[in-house]
Amino acid sequence: MADLWQSAMDHAVAVARKAGQVVGKALHDDRKVMTKSSSVDLVTQTDQKVEQLIIRSVKEKFPTHRFIGEESVAAGESCVLTDEPTWIIDPIDGTTNFVHTFPFVAISIGFSVNKEVEFGVVYSCLEDKMFTARRGRGAFCNGAPLQVSEQTDIKQSMVATEFGSSRAPETVEKIFCSLRNILCIPVQGVRGAGTAAINMCLVASGCVEVYYEIGTHVWDVAAGSLIVTEAGGVLMDVEGGDVDLMSRKIVAANSKTIAERIIEEIAAFSPPRDDVLPQHQ
Ligand SMILES: O=P(O)(O)O[C@H]1[C@H](O)[C@@H](O)[C@H](O)[C@@H](O)[C@@H]1O
Ligand SMILES: [Mg+2]
Ligand SMILES: [Mg+2]
């Protein structure tokens, strides 16, 4: 049977690498920082330039495909996932890191058909680590196979999470309530790379047993979601049950046991879904 999506994935890897070069060159130059949903939700001209580069390049090769791009949605485009082949793009995942030259910045490209992620590409461009996964064919970093951690004891686990872009007191309270509960299990450590995509690749790489966050967007997690599951990991909603990549809530773990143990400690809340409200709200 013809492999429909390999050429698309090869293109995603090539354009992610090219975008990574643009990001690397702009790291110390692009000082025009703008804000979106809050004063700490940053975007730069490089985010916008990289997204346009990726979309333009894909359109030339796959003119009928659709796009969900972080900065296109911020500019008012719809964020509704259909059955059509769709590229789900975060041009810079870790924009705050980029602005502060904190060295974890990724280009994240997920590809969905019939609302199922067929491949995911996360390029951690300052580390030169290309994370890839094809559905049913495993997950890799620079070509080397990835496997989640075999740790079953939450008290011997490392947890990743982020504080997100909301500073609303009630949201901050929930975030710190979850963090306190989890820290006091106790877990051995809590870390955050500053980018959802790289946090998910750390789960896939076996460095972190579980990553959770409330507030992510579909473009943050689409590619990483497949990299985690193809490395043997699981995805769940923060309240248990199946993950919904549009729900802005995610747990990505090495096993259901660890995921469910963390879910017990999360003080859940539900931000507006990606596919309901305009993203600028
Ligand atoms: O850097 P971006 O693409 O905006 O994505 C991050 C988001 O801004 C943060 O609020 C989240 O906590 C991170 O997980 C995202 O990666
Ligand atoms: Mg992002
Ligand atoms: Mg981004």
Side-chain angles (χ1 to χ4, degrees), residues 110-241:
F111 180 73
S112 162
V113 182
N114 298 325
K115 299 191 182 72
E116 220 172 10
V117 181
E118 285 293 336
F119 67 71
V121 172
V122 173
Y123 183 41
S124 177
C125 57
L126 304 183
E127 296 180 288
D128 193 19
K129 288 184 176 178
M130 185 68 75
F131 295 90
T132 59
R134 278 291 305 276
R135 193 158 61 85
R137 302 191 190 187
F140 302 86
C141 176
N142 292 346
L146 294 177
Q147 182 62 40
V148 295
S149 157
E150 294 181 357
Q151 182 56 255
T152 57
D153 182 354
I154 191 70
K155 292 182 179 177
Q156 297 186 55
S157 294
M158 179 82 94
V159 178
T161 192
E162 299 294 335
F163 297 126
S165 306
S166 170
R167 295 297 180 266
E170 63 278 10
T171 301
V172 171
E173 180 49 40
K174 289 266 190 183
I175 288 170
F176 274 85
C177 176
S178 301
L179 198 54
R180 186 185 312 110
N181 293 345
I182 289 164
L183 209 50
C184 297
I185 289 177
V187 297
Q188 287 188 344
V190 178
R191 302 287 186 273
T195 130
I198 292 181
N199 286 331
M200 295 176 85
C201 290
L202 289 169
V203 173
S205 306
C207 311
V208 158
E209 274 70 39
V210 53
Y211 158 68
Y212 74 94
E213 186 172 353
I214 301 178
T216 52
H217 292 281
V218 62
W219 46 79
D220 293 317
V221 299
S225 68
L226 187 69
I227 293 168
V228 166
T229 54
E230 286 298 321
V234 300
L235 305 169
M236 293 182 77
D237 180 78
V238 294
E239 294 183 274

Side-chain angles (χ1 to χ4, degrees), residues 36 40-42 47 70-71 90-97 162-166 194-197 199 211 213 215-217 219-220:
K36 294 189 290 189
V40 297
D41 184 11
L42 310 183
D47 293 76
E70 176 177 6
E71 308 315 338
D90 190 340
I92 298 184
D93 193 41
T95 296
T96 303
N97 290 353
E162 299 294 335
F163 297 126
S165 306
S166 170
T195 130
N199 286 331
Y211 158 68
E213 186 172 353
T216 52
H217 292 281
W219 46 79
D220 293 317

